[in-house]
């Protein structure tokens, strides 16, 4: 057991170290049936709401929401956490840092308040040995259940239990699961107190500090403040390990607990300064001490310094640490040196720190020296800018200047801000953002060259040209090799981590890169916890093979020995399709003639496409013949042999070479029995029998003299017929037939449809004739001319004209005006017979005279006119107006 020198009052507590306390906690909850889980990575998995894991509960969210099933209903962890929300204030006081470890025990629908409270008490008092009379529980105002447990079951007197409101003791995050909390406070004694009369639990001073928080997730908030009981109640507890250590070791702050103190001392040693001598120094000492912990852990989880997202958080942390080291007078690179003290102190709980030591030091030193190179220059420029500001009487640095510092000298905005703040100067942040946006636009425009994947070509151009890869996958689907280069979509990097997309290059790969019409392999690359899903494989300039994809967990870094596994089903199906194109080419030459040359091809796991020279569309008979030949050669089970030889030798074998293709000195020849011999670098089946079956889907023209065949093989053919079968049985079901009598049934149905529609036609015209009878009652006589003006509902312009013609006939001589409303619009038709026209009637002028009443316009000839309108409500008025207008026209 360790002991620590301190001049504080003697207490009856064993002064356990940070590493001991972590182990004690996990062992204790293991003895209570909990599964001890390793700390999750600081990089959130499948969670875009967080940049970095910031609590013990955060990585367990899917278990709380029920999205995933936990490995056990009781889980305990010590989780590494980073919070950078108020990074500007870190160091100013000793209350907190960006990095901390959180102890937690969790119940997913298992135990609840009784056990959670009892075990919390047992751990604090019996395991750690804190004095019970220094501990004060608090509960949520209305939570009598928790109050009673503390009071009656644990035996804490009622006056020592505090009730707090929603702000302190209710955990809630918008709508969804929520619930009351119960915290435990520890009285550190008068020496930490403010001495004010009301000083007790809840006071702002450092005397009573919260060591444990139990969250009882028991309600569901519907978002409107209505709470209902959750069917599955959860327990989520949290306790800061460093804070517990500060209490147990009875030291002033987290910066004084054993492991962090060792680190702090190392900072002081390097700087030649003493802690607690000068406030200004203390701030810098605490910043360096805290930030080097965060940086070490972040890098060990694969986060790399960058200008975006969590990479930027890391860059900022490293640069702040570097700068405050310089303020303390430390010369040269020192971060890796300090990081080794972090690793020494924490490797007990986090063995990955020791494993990735060299990598961590490397990343830190690179970033630090990059920063050091620019900082002096940047500081000089900033000093000049400050001078100018003073001359011009400004206290605000312009956005362009701040951006110039950022862009040219690598000064992060917040660093510039921090330096200026010390002199009571500010920055035009909006101006900075505007300048940044403008530059990004420019960069986007300048970066138009992309490959077919849409990836940035220039990324690959930045890879060391000396790096090459070798394809070893003709007969192997998995292989071990070293990572020689990696990129994100934007930059060459040293590591890829959970959620990032990018490209991995290795020395030797079993993955086939897209080439010669054959699509690249898919699969997975693994290293320990790290998993990279390969979505495509391509050839890059300089003999490199790039595996393009996304990290789905953990990290993979440069130099790692990785396990590369090609998706076997995808490869097998691709091979079937590729080998079939060789058989197809020979079959086409056999059926169509030797003018057939390959003009292009595409094969992937799902289908094949073969373009060839030929000058007319193939007949169904030719297609059937070609398909038959290919299937015969499949059934002949021809062995497929590949050999590498010189081009001269290959020509002697009669190999078909691609027209216009350049070949190297040695070529690969693929032979299928005596039937087909081709030069080809692709992957193939071992025997044509493996293709199983071949089916042509279509033949079409793609250019002058170039035809295209699309076809399927093996499982693709079965899937194709299965789909046809499904469609057939659906159709059969609809017409209540069987596949056997479907055609007969459809013939009957078509005849029936024809008969019914002719019946329908005659019924419709009968109905129209009948409705005319009634309309004839509305005929009026104006100055001896018969007028029929009526509304015919639902008719379109054509129907209205037909109706008009019929009515005109029925009328003998006279004028017909019809109006209809259809789909909210008005149609008008006017017609006049010869004798009506002789008496002065003019259909065109008639319609002109009434169209305005239905919100429209129109006109036409004297015998026939039509118009449209937008106001159906005006129809009765328009019809009434007809009489007046016609009366005016007639002699
Ligand atoms: Zn106080
Ligand atoms: Zn081929």
């Amino acid at each position: 057991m360790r002991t620590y020198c301190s001049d504080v009052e003697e207490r009856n507590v064993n002064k356990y170290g940070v590493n001991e306390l972590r182990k004690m906690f996990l062992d204790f909850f293991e003895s209570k049936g909990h599964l001890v889980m390793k700390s999750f990575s600081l990089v959130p998995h499948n969670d875009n709401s967080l940049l970095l894991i910031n609590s013990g509960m955060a990585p367990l969210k899917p278990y709380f929401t029920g999205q995933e099933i936990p490995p056990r209903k009781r889980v305990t962890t010590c989780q590494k956490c980073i919070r950078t929300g108020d990074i500007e204030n870190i160091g100013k006081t000793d209350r907190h840092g960006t990095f901390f470890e959180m102890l937690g025990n969790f119940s997913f629908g298992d135990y609840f308040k009784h056990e959670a409270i009892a075990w919390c008490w047992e751990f604090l008092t019996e395991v750690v040995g804190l004095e019970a009379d220094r501990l004060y529980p608090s509960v949520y105002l209305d939570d009598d259940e928790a109050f009673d447990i503390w009071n009656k079951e644990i035996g804490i007197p009622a006056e020592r239990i505090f009730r707090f409101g929603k702000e302190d003791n209710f955990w809630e995050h918008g709508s969804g699961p929520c619930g009351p909390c119960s915290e435990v406070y520890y009285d550190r004694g008068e020496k930490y107190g403010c001495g004010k009369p009301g000083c007790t639990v809840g006071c702002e001073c450092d005397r009573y500090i919260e060591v444990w928080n139990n969250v009882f997730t028991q309600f569901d908030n519907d978002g409107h403040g209505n709470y209902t009981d959750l069917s599955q109640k959860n327990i989520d507890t949290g306790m800061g390990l460093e804070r517990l250590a500060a209490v147990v070791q009875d030291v002033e702050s987290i910066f004084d607990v054993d492991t962090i103190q060792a680190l702090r001392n190392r900072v002081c040693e390097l700087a030649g300064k003493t802690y607690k001598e000068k406030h200004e120094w203390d701030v810098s000492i605490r910043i360096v001490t805290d930030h080097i912990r965060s940086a070490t852990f972040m890098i060990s989880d694969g986060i790399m310094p960058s200008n975006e997202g969590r990479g930027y958080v890391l860059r900022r942390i490293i640069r702040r640490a570097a700068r405050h080291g310089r303020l303390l007078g430390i010369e040269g690179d020192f971060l890796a040196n300090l990081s080794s003290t972090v690793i020494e102190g924490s490797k007990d709980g986090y063995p990955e720190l020791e494993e990735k030591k060299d990598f961590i030091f490397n990343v830190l030193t690179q970033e630090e020296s990059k920063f050091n190179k620019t900082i002096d220059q940047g500081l000089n420029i900033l000093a000049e800018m400050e001078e100018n500001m003073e001359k011009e009487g400004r206290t605000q640095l312009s956005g362009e200047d701040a951006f110039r510092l950022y862009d040219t000298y690598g000064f992060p905005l917040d660093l510039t801000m921090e330096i200026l703040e010390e002199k009571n100067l500010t920055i035009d942040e909006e101006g900075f953002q505007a300048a940044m946006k403008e530059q990004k636009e420019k960069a986007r425009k300048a970066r138009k060259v992309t490959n077919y994947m849409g990836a940035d070509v220039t990324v690959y151009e930045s890879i060391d040209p000396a790096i090459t890869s070798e394809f070893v996958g003709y007969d192997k689907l998995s292989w071990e090799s070293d990572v020689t280069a990696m990129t994100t979509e934007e930059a060459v990097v040293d590591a890829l981590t959970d959620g990032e997309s990018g490209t991995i290059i290795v020395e030797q790969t079993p993955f086939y890169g897209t080439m010669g019409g054959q699509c690249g392999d898919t699969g997975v690359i693994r290293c320990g916890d790290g998993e990279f899903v390969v979505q495509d494989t391509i050839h890059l300039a300089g003999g490199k093979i790039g595996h393009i994809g996304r990290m789905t967990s953990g990290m993979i870094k440069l130099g790692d020995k990785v396990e590369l596994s090609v998706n076997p089903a995808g490869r097998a199906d691709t091979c079937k399709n590729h080998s079939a194109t060789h058989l197809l080419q020979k079959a086409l030459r056999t059926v169509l003639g030797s003018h057939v040359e390959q003009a292009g091809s595409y094969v992937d796991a799902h289908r094949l496409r073969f373009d060839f020279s030929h000058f007319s569309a193939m007949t169904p008979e030719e297609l059937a013949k070609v398909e038959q030949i290919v299937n015969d050669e499949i059934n002949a089970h021809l062995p497929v042999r590949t050999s590498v030889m010189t081009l001269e030798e290959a020509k002697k074998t009669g190999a078909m070479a691609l027209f216009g293709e350049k070949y190297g000195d040695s070529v690969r020849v693929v032979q299928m029995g005596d039937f087909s011999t081709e030069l080809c670098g692709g992957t193939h089946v071992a025997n044509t029998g493996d293709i199983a079956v071949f089916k042509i889907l279509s033949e079409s023209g793609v250019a002058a003299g170039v035809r295209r065949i699309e076809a399927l093989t093996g499982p693709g053919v079965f899937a194709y017929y299965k789909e046809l079968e499904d469609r057939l049985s659906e159709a059969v079901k609809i017409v209540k037939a069987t596949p056997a009598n479907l055609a007969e049934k459809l013939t009957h149905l078509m005849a029936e449809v024809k008969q019914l529609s002719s019946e329908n036609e005659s019924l419709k015209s009968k109905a129209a004739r009948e409705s005319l009878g009634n309309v004839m009652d509305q005929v009026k006589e104006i100055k001896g001319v018969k007028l029929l003006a009526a509304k015919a509902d639902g008719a379109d312009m054509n129907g209205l004209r037909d109706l008009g013609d019929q009515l005109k006939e029925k009328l003998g001589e006279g004028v017909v005006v019809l109006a209809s409303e259809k789909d909210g619009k008005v149609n008008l038709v006017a017609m006049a017979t010869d004798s009506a026209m002789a008496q002065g009637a003019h259909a065109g002028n008639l319609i002109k005279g009434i169209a305005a009443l239905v919100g429209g316009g129109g006109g036409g000839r004297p015998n026939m006119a039509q118009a449209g309108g937008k106001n159906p409500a005006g129809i009765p008025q328009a019809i009434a107006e007809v009489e007046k207008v016609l009366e005016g026209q007639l002699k």
Side-chain angles (χ1 to χ4, degrees), residues 317-326 334-335 368 371-372:
I317 281 174
I318 294 176
R319 293 189 166 192
R320 276 187 111 224
R323 178 166 170 268
H324 281 276
R326 288 168 71 102
F334 67 99
L335 292 178
E368 190 179 12
F371 182 61
N372 280 341

Side-chain angles (χ1 to χ4, degrees), residues 519-723:
C519 203
D521 281 325
T522 60
V524 67
I525 299 177
R526 285 196 188 84
C527 176
D529 295 345
E531 187 181 88
F532 180 84
V533 173
V534 180
Q535 290 146 348
D536 195 9
T537 308
I538 60 171
H539 284 270
L540 306 175
K544 290 180 265 288
I545 298 171
H547 306 82
I548 298 175
R550 185 168 169 271
M551 287 299 298
T552 51
S553 71
M555 71 174 282
I556 291 179
K557 55 186 181 6
L558 204 62
D560 276 351
K561 191 166 265 319
V562 292
E563 179 77 36
L564 301 113
S565 313
V566 174
N567 166 13
R571 167 68 81 82
D573 290 344
T574 305
C575 287
K576 289 183 177 85
N577 283 331
H578 194 156
S579 297
T581 62
H582 287 212
L583 297 179
L584 174 61
Q585 168 157 229
K586 183 64 189 291
L588 285 167
R589 287 171 76 96
T590 308
V591 173
L592 301 177
S594 58
H595 63 279
V596 168
E597 294 270 359
Q598 175 169 346
S601 74
Y602 175 85
V603 293
D604 64 16
H606 310 289
R607 68 211 162 96
L608 68 94
R609 200 170 70 201
F610 187 76
D611 296 347
F612 57 99
S613 50
H614 184 54
F615 298 93
S616 57
M618 285 174 71
T619 64
E621 293 73 29
E622 285 169 341
L623 282 169
K625 229 174 184 176
V626 166
E627 196 173 271
Q628 187 60 52
I629 292 174
V630 174
N631 278 310
D632 286 347
E633 297 306 326
I634 289 169
N635 279 325
H637 289 83
L638 305 175
V640 177
R641 290 186 309 272
T642 58
S643 36
V644 177
M645 54 186 84
T646 65
L647 188 56
E648 281 310 306
E649 286 169 332
K651 279 179 179 162
K652 278 179 214 154
T653 68
M656 283 189 270
L658 279 186
F659 184 72
E661 184 90 351
K662 270 193 212 154
Y663 291 96
D665 294 339
S666 64
V667 292
R668 191 163 173 269
V669 174
V670 178
Q671 285 174 289
M672 299 184 181
D674 292 331
F675 182 70
S676 150
T677 305
E678 281 191 46
L679 296 186
C680 174
T683 63
H684 288 275
V685 294
N687 186 294
T688 59
D690 298 342
I691 303 171
V693 61
F694 172 80
K695 167 78 191 140
I696 293 177
L697 290 184
S698 68
E699 190 269 350
S700 59
V702 284
V706 180
R707 310 296 301 174
R708 167 172 294 175
I709 281 180
E710 287 182 284
L712 301 170
T713 64
V717 175
F718 291 104
Y720 169 75
Y721 281 122
K722 178 77 178 68
E723 199 190 322

Side-chain angles (χ1 to χ4, degrees), residues 194 199 203 205:
C194 55
C199 183
C203 182
C205 71

Side-chain angles (χ1 to χ4, degrees), residues 112-232:
F112 204 49
K113 292 183 192 178
H114 291 276
E115 296 84 344
I117 290 175
W119 290 338
C120 151
W121 189 254
E122 187 184 338
F123 180 75
L124 289 177
T125 58
E126 287 173 33
V127 179
V128 177
L130 295 178
E131 293 140 287
D133 59 6
R134 283 176 179 260
L135 292 168
Y136 295 84
S138 76
V139 299
Y140 175 58
L141 273 183
D142 301 337
D143 193 356
D144 294 332
E145 189 189 359
F147 186 93
D148 286 348
I149 295 170
W150 281 115
N151 183 226
K152 297 190 178 123
E153 292 177 21
I154 309 292
I156 311 284
E159 68 277 9
R160 287 175 57 90
I161 306 171
F162 290 76
R163 285 182 190 259
F164 291 130
K166 257 198 160 169
E167 251 172 56
D168 295 302
N169 274 14
F170 199 89
W171 186 87
E172 195 165 25
H173 205 83
S175 61
C178 58
C181 311
S182 176
E183 300 178 320
V184 178
Y185 289 81
Y186 181 80
D187 177 4
R188 302 210 289 161
E190 274 172 31
K191 64 181 188 292
Y192 294 110
C194 55
K196 289 176 190 155
C199 183
T200 181
V201 172
C203 182
E204 287 294 306
C205 71
D206 290 336
R207 176 166 174 179
Y208 298 91
I209 69 167
E210 177 210 322
V211 289
W212 193 305
N213 187 9
N214 291 290
V215 180
F216 309 125
T217 317
Q218 64 184 113
F219 300 119
D220 186 59
N221 181 353
D222 67 358
H224 305 285
N226 303 313
Y227 297 92
T228 47
D229 274 351
L230 278 176
S231 56
Q232 177 187 307

Side-chain angles (χ1 to χ4, degrees), residues 255-256 259-290 292 321 324-331 334-335 337-339 341:
F255 289 93
D256 305 291
T259 51
I260 306 180
Q261 193 186 84
L263 181 60
R264 192 196 74 198
N265 290 342
R266 186 90 189 96
V267 176
C268 292
E269 202 181 297
L270 287 174
K273 300 277 189 297
T274 314
Y275 190 52
K276 291 277 157 180
E277 204 180 299
K278 205 170 157 193
H279 176 71
E280 203 183 302
W281 293 351
D282 288 353
V283 172
S284 291
I285 290 167
R286 285 190 290 251
I287 286 176
V288 176
T289 304
D290 168 74
I292 190 61
H324 281 276
R326 288 168 71 102
L327 286 179
L328 285 170
I330 306 178
E331 278 171 19
F334 67 99
L335 292 178
N337 184 338
L338 275 183
S339 179
T341 310

